[in-house]
Amino acid sequence: MRVDSLGLISGDNSVNSLSCNRTRKSIPYVRPVSKMVQLNFTGSGLNVNQILSISPENNGMGIAEYKQGGEGCVGDEMPASMVKHGKKDARSVMPYCSHNNPKGGYKLLLHPESAFKQGALPDEIPDKWFYSAAPGETLEQVAKTLGYKPSEISYVIQSKPNGSGPEAKSKYVILEPTSVKGEVRRMSDEVLGEIKTIPYELFKISSQNPNYVKLKSFPNYVMFTKELARTAKPYSYDAWGNSPFETEIITSDEMRAIADTLAKEKMNTKEFEYFKPAGIIAHDRHAHSIANHIANLSAKGNVVLNGVKLHIIEHNPGFNYQGRTDDPFKYLRIVADESDLEALKKMPEFAILQKAQKFGINNVDALTPREREIAWKILDPALKPFKDAFGYYNVIKSGIVAVKKNPNNISLGTVSLTFDKEMKSQETPDAAKSLTDDFASIPTKSVVNGSTPANLRLNDPEANFGRGNNGLSANKAGFTTFEYDGTNIKEVNAAREKNAKWLTDLVFNAYQKGQDELNKVFFNEAQIMENQRVLGFLKPMKDGDMLVMGWGRPDDQKGFNITLDGFKKYLERKDIPLEQKLKYRFAIGAGKWNENAKDYKSIVRLINDIETMDDGAYKGLVMYVDGFFPNRLVGCAQYGIFTSRREMCGITPLECKAAGVPYLATKTGGPVDYTNKLNGFLTDEAVEGRPERYGLTWQNSIDEIDDARCNRQAEQVADRLAQMADEYVNNQDAYIAKCKKNIEEKIDWHENSEYNGGKSAMNRYLEDILETDKPFDSRSKTPWARLIDRFGELKESGQEVVKKASKTKPIRIILAILGVAAVGGGVYYWYKNNNSKKLDKAA
């Protein structure tokens, strides 16, 4: 095994990729050289200093589709920290997806010399220059058809354009083909007994990319399959649980392809600098099935990955983020392999199983009760370990089962020490509803994750807000940039106060011109066409006023209704002077909601309530941005507010810290780990307690329980808002001390030991979990146990089966069910002797 090359390899620089050098600046990446290099292979085994991170989202891609939530932040920053500070060779692989690519072929960027200055492609390119190839259609064929040179076409991922029509512009990520190609096989989607073959290809993220693509600086990849290529974003399910289970199967195919690539050592070549990672980080439910596929390969005799350390991170085990099905055949497509299919085909009851898949195992019209019973008795024993508390086959259970069956190789954890306890406790039953006891049944390795402050770009006057082409970015010159130098906290606070006035003036001036102009402050044309809009507005700030800001995903987890109800209850309090109430401004936002969602309806109602109460005295104090909310606006806030029903880590409070902004958070998950009286405020208790806490029982409706929980929290939020206002107005020294504490706290991945048990998140992952500080030879090389159990067998004799089945089926069908090919079988003679009249009639 060779490890002589430490610099970045050039990869495939053929005409298939953009063959020009960009004139814009790019930061060169130099693979760190340290003692770890000499600890590389001694001729066998995996490389403990190489790590593969498998994540659906990754902010480093630089386009909106790959940064929908906090997981994209972790997927980007964790490997980057391991490279820069841990001196490891950490690489990422993401799923391929692209805008408007329903055929599932390659997405290509056309950049002919006649239209583009070679060597300086713009950061955004009109939609008309993107081409969706048909499956099997190569770049060279497209070039020939269109009359272009192959060097004038590049493989890309296209982001959604910022408007409509051919001239609307898209961001993009340029890809380079690699030598890694192959195919994986699994059970067919249509016919039980047939095999489906899924071709795959691994693409490298090109170094010839716009500056917003951070992953171009060292080797990172995307996995391509036809079905992945058809998707518009990595997560093809939404926040309301409207996902077909087929998306889980597509994702599992991606994991099969990654497992196949590693097991066959396809990256252990000069092209990939002999990449043979001994550590794998699998992010979120998206990557759970990688454990299953590695286990299947190992159990079949592939020894390459036997010593790998695989860690699964539960970013969000909430009920709406679990992949569930009651169809065992669908789940088999994820966990079974060809040996399982062969086992099923050998069963005499296989015809029944085929029928059950074709019509549905619970189909009472197509299957008799006996046939359904037979199918369940065969399939359920094999899949029973994957059932959750509600009886569904659950994708997240695959990770839990993996830890139980292969504890020497697989570990699982979440992104907060507090949330680790919550997802295992019956006192917080909704933290991981349906999986609480399952998580409690295994040892977990959880780490309080970090955040990289520099990513907010609060010191960069050229940085835009959100997705660009909006009023914020057009007026960015009015945003006062700042950077803390260890002594200038008052200057930082003054900059944020100035920015608060800039933002509220911008919003108020637009509001006076009408709703359309107000929407344009935050959104570009494409977002406005999606009905992204602003609810309410903000009056201009005066000296001594406070802008409170909260942002996140548009789902019930984030509890924006609690924020607004808490502010309403604060305004209703008689012990608070009107003058103090009027000092507040609230700017809250989250990506576009489903307008039928309960929380969204609450948000609309609460804004109207606040604007109309006390004869409109509080109109202009609350604004809700129903669409993409730029986190960089934290540089305008005096306080942050995050009232999640449940929270895993909480990237948004960490972003407040980076800006020196004190914050209020509900007492759940990560914020409990890193919040105290010196840097912020917490409510008194977790939001989603047992119904008995609120004088209810589980017999009450879901809405009744949720309303009681949220009302209790809103009352506590109102109490904290009173404390925050008193601090800001009457005790500026205490406020400044909180600002200073936050901005000085070390929250980056390699130095957040203050709230992570005395050890940084990066070192906990590297040393405590992936064991990069130990030689590979010290690991267990025992073959992995398969996660799927044995199929059940009918214990009845053939005669008993016939007795039950003959009540509803003629003899020919019974013989087919039993797999009897000729009338000479013993069961046939038994039936003939006991049912001669029925037999004669059937014949």
Side-chain angles (χ1 to χ4, degrees):
M1 301 292 180
R2 290 180 55 196
V3 260
D4 53 352
S5 177
L6 297 175
L8 182 66
I9 63 168
S10 59
D12 183 349
N13 292 321
S14 70
V15 292
N16 290 348
S17 19
L18 186 63
S19 58
C20 56
N21 294 318
R22 291 185 172 273
T23 56
R24 63 167 61 90
K25 283 185 178 180
S26 62
I27 301 173
Y29 171 75
V30 178
R31 185 71 49 79
V33 178
S34 68
K35 290 183 179 179
M36 74 93 176
V37 174
Q38 278 69 46
L39 294 176
N40 270 335
F41 300 148
T42 57
S44 63
L46 304 175
N47 189 336
V48 296
N49 295 297
Q50 292 179 334
I51 298 151
L52 182 65
S53 173
I54 306 171
S55 61
E57 297 181 356
N58 192 311
N59 289 6
M61 295 288 278
I63 57 178
E65 288 78 3
Y66 285 87
K67 46 182 180 179
Q68 300 288 309
E71 195 278 322
C73 178
V74 177
D76 170 26
E77 294 179 0
M78 177 196 287
S81 179
M82 291 177 174
V83 170
K84 183 176 181 180
H85 301 287
K87 311 303 182 188
K88 306 299 180 188
D89 180 0
R91 312 184 193 185
S92 296
V93 60
M94 286 70 63
Y96 186 99
C97 69
S98 190
H99 168 69
N100 190 27
N101 197 35
K103 297 177 183 177
Y106 303 126
K107 193 75 177 201
L108 302 172
L109 173 63
L110 314 176
H111 45 89
E113 295 176 3
S114 60
F116 293 89
K117 180 181 178 182
Q118 299 301 292
L121 289 181
D123 284 352
E124 294 180 308
I125 293 179
D127 187 43
K128 65 183 180 182
W129 295 109
F130 292 90
Y131 180 91
S132 293
E137 187 179 18
T138 67
L139 182 149
E140 289 76 15
Q141 289 171 333
V142 172
K144 185 175 181 180
T145 299
L146 300 179
Y148 289 173
K149 301 174 185 176
S151 60
E152 295 176 311
I153 304 178
S154 296
Y155 296 99
V156 292
I157 291 171
Q158 181 189 5
S159 186
K160 187 173 183 178
N162 60 14
S164 60
E167 297 298 331
K169 294 181 178 180
S170 283
K171 290 185 176 181
Y172 55 94
V173 180
I174 297 175
L175 306 174
E176 298 175 0
T178 73
S179 63
V180 172
K181 296 178 175 65
E183 60 183 34
V184 288
R185 292 155 60 87
R186 64 160 168 83
M187 289 185 173
S188 166
D189 298 319
E190 291 82 26
V191 180
L192 186 65
E194 295 183 359
I195 286 289
K196 180 170 184 176
T197 299
I198 299 99
Y200 70 83
E201 296 181 56
L202 191 72
F203 283 87
K204 179 184 172 184
I205 297 172
S206 174
S207 62
Q208 305 300 315
N209 257 303
N211 282 338
Y212 52 75
V213 183
K214 294 191 296 182
L215 296 185
K216 65 182 181 178
S217 299
F218 55 96
N220 290 285
Y221 312 95
V222 295
M223 182 60 75
F224 178 99
T225 70
K226 176 183 175 181
E227 292 304 320
L228 287 172
R230 294 172 62 188
T231 60
K233 58 182 180 179
Y235 278 121
S236 49
Y237 62 94
D238 62 28
W240 302 278
N242 296 327
S243 166
F245 194 78
E246 282 70 18
T247 62
E248 312 300 335
I249 299 171
I250 294 169
T251 294
S252 174
D253 291 341
E254 177 197 353
M255 297 304 116
R256 285 182 194 272
I258 294 172
D260 186 69
T261 297
L262 296 175
K264 293 179 180 176
E265 302 187 65
K266 292 184 178 183
M267 301 176 77
N268 187 25
T269 65
K270 183 177 181 181
E271 176 189 356
F272 291 92
E273 297 183 84
Y274 304 99
F275 190 61
K276 198 175 180 184
I280 301 174
I281 300 284
H283 293 273
D284 223 352
R285 116 185 182 208
H286 174 99
H288 267 65
S289 64
I290 189 75
N292 179 83
H293 303 317
I294 292 176
N296 283 348
L297 290 168
S298 176
K300 287 169 66 175
N302 188 308
V303 301
V304 172
L305 297 178
N306 282 359
V308 76
K309 288 286 183 180
L310 169 61
H311 183 67
I312 298 171
I313 300 180
E314 298 290 357
H315 286 275
N316 194 339
F319 194 66
N320 285 349
Y321 289 87
Q322 299 170 17
R324 300 179 296 273
T325 182
D326 61 357
D327 186 337
F329 294 103
K330 288 184 178 180
Y331 206 84
L332 278 173
R333 290 172 213 161
I334 290 179
V335 297
D337 64 10
E338 292 180 72
S339 67
D340 298 304
L341 183 57
E342 290 304 312
L344 291 175
K345 289 169 69 174
K346 292 177 181 178
M347 291 184 173
E349 303 83 9
F350 185 61
I352 292 179
L353 297 175
Q354 286 183 306
K355 185 178 179 182
Q357 171 165 317
K358 181 178 180 180
F359 295 105
I361 195 169
N362 292 319
N363 190 321
V364 297
D365 296 321
L367 278 73
T368 68
R370 179 56 180 164
E371 288 171 333
R372 296 198 303 275
E373 179 187 13
I374 289 172
W376 277 116
K377 281 187 174 181
I378 292 171
L379 298 178
D380 197 52
L383 298 180
K384 191 174 182 179
F386 304 105
K387 279 189 173 181
D388 61 25
F390 295 158
Y392 288 95
Y393 303 116
N394 197 313
V395 171
I396 292 180
K397 278 297 294 286
S398 63
I400 295 168
V401 174
V403 173
K404 289 181 177 180
K405 292 202 172 186
N406 296 286
N408 291 328
N409 298 93
I410 305 174
S411 56
L412 179 151
T414 187
V415 288
S416 156
L417 302 179
T418 297
F419 191 77
D420 181 283
K421 298 173 183 176
E422 291 178 349
M423 72 182 188
K424 299 176 179 180
S425 172
Q426 293 295 344
E427 294 303 312
T428 47
D430 284 356
K433 183 187 292 187
S434 84
L435 295 171
T436 305
D437 290 341
D438 292 304
F439 282 123
S441 70
I442 61 171
T444 49
K445 296 181 180 180
S446 295
V447 178
V448 183
N449 281 195
S451 181
T452 302
N455 288 336
L456 286 171
R457 300 175 68 185
L458 295 171
N459 62 346
D460 183 359
E462 299 302 317
N464 285 319
F465 291 87
R467 297 178 181 176
N469 299 296
N470 53 34
L472 293 170
S473 294
N475 291 277
K476 64 185 176 184
F479 180 85
T480 302
T481 57
F482 58 88
E483 186 170 7
Y484 183 62
D485 66 6
T487 63
N488 63 337
I489 190 62
K490 291 186 177 180
E491 292 178 16
V492 168
N493 287 355
R496 288 194 284 101
E497 290 170 8
K498 191 174 179 180
N499 289 337
K501 293 178 180 178
W502 165 78
L503 177 60
T504 54
D505 286 348
L506 196 63
V507 168
F508 186 70
N509 290 338
Y511 166 76
Q512 290 182 309
K513 296 176 184 177
Q515 185 67 43
D516 289 344
E517 292 302 312
L518 182 57
N519 293 340
K520 290 177 183 177
V521 172
F522 288 88
F523 306 123
N524 61 38
E525 177 190 348
Q527 292 170 307
I528 291 172
M529 289 176 63
E530 296 172 344
N531 198 31
Q532 297 191 37
R533 57 180 177 161
V534 177
L535 307 179
F537 71 99
L538 296 178
K539 294 178 181 178
M541 299 266 289
K542 303 187 297 293
D543 289 344
D545 288 348
M546 300 163 287
L547 178 58
V548 182
M549 193 171 289
W551 62 99
R553 290 190 310 278
D555 64 25
D556 69 346
Q557 179 199 328
K558 296 302 180 181
F560 294 110
N561 58 314
I562 298 174
T563 291
L564 295 172
D565 195 26
F567 185 45
K568 178 185 174 184
K569 292 183 187 308
Y570 169 79
L571 295 175
E572 290 171 340
R573 287 181 51 163
K574 305 301 183 183
D575 60 325
I576 307 293
L578 176 62
E579 179 183 359
Q580 185 159 309
K581 294 176 182 177
L582 294 177
K583 289 184 176 296
Y584 267 123
R585 306 288 187 280
F586 275 72
I588 313 297
K592 181 64 184 172
W593 273 91
N594 175 341
E595 296 189 6
N596 292 319
K598 177 191 173 187
D599 275 20
Y600 181 75
K601 292 179 179 179
S602 296
I603 289 166
V604 174
R605 174 181 56 80
L606 286 163
I607 290 177
N608 180 69
D609 289 350
I610 291 169
E611 289 189 333
T612 56
M613 65 190 296
D614 294 350
D615 297 323
Y618 309 118
K619 193 169 186 177
L621 300 191
V622 176
M623 174 184 70
Y624 188 88
V625 179
D626 183 27
F628 190 84
F629 190 91
N631 59 355
R632 190 167 181 256
L633 285 177
V634 69
C636 305
Q638 277 65 60
Y639 286 107
I641 185 165
F642 309 101
T643 54
S644 298
R645 284 178 170 88
R646 73 206 76 90
E647 187 57 73
M648 291 81 229
C649 178
I651 296 298
T652 45
L654 294 178
E655 290 172 336
C656 279
K657 289 181 181 294
V661 176
Y663 54 89
L664 161 63
T666 42
K667 195 174 183 180
T668 173
V672 182
D673 296 327
Y674 52 71
T675 304
N676 53 53
K677 293 180 180 180
L678 300 178
N679 58 24
F681 302 84
L682 290 171
T683 58
D684 297 328
E685 60 190 351
V687 181
E688 295 183 319
R690 297 177 60 82
E692 291 83 0
R693 290 189 191 177
Y694 317 99
L696 303 175
T697 71
W698 288 115
Q699 301 304 312
N700 289 91
S701 70
I702 293 174
D703 283 347
E704 287 174 328
I705 295 172
D706 181 63
D707 289 345
R709 290 167 166 173
C710 292
N711 184 66
R712 173 84 65 87
Q713 283 294 310
E715 292 171 350
Q716 296 172 24
V717 167
D719 290 341
R720 298 300 178 270
L721 290 176
Q723 295 173 14
M724 290 156 62
D726 180 67
E727 177 182 77
Y728 193 78
V729 173
N730 301 317
N731 193 351
Q732 268 286 305
D733 287 345
Y735 174 77
I736 293 171
K738 278 190 171 69
C739 296
K740 189 171 187 292
K741 171 62 175 170
N742 276 302
I743 206 166
E744 289 182 348
E745 283 184 344
K746 303 298 185 182
I747 64 173
D748 214 333
W749 289 82
H750 66 289
E751 53 183 2
N752 61 353
S753 57
E754 179 178 343
Y755 54 81
N756 204 19
K759 202 169 191 178
S760 75
M762 184 195 72
N763 283 333
R764 286 214 57 207
Y765 279 115
L766 290 178
E767 298 170 7
D768 299 348
I769 294 175
L770 298 181
E771 297 185 359
T772 60
D773 58 334
K774 299 177 182 177
F776 181 75
D777 288 344
S778 67
R779 299 186 182 186
S780 169
K781 311 301 189 308
T782 302
W784 291 26
R786 301 186 73 218
L787 309 191
I788 186 172
D789 280 349
R790 294 175 59 88
F791 292 109
E793 296 179 3
L794 296 183
K795 295 182 179 179
E796 300 99 327
S797 66
Q799 289 90 336
E800 290 173 323
V801 174
V802 172
K803 281 181 181 179
K804 294 180 179 179
S806 63
K807 296 177 181 179
T808 57
K809 296 291 183 185
I811 184 60
R812 289 183 181 133
I813 295 178
I814 296 170
L815 294 176
I817 289 172
L818 292 172
V820 178
V823 295
V827 174
Y828 175 84
Y829 287 113
W830 172 86
Y831 190 91
K832 182 178 183 299
N833 292 333
N834 290 276
N835 300 273
S836 57
K837 291 183 180 179
K838 289 184 182 180
L839 182 59
D840 293 339
K841 186 176 180 180

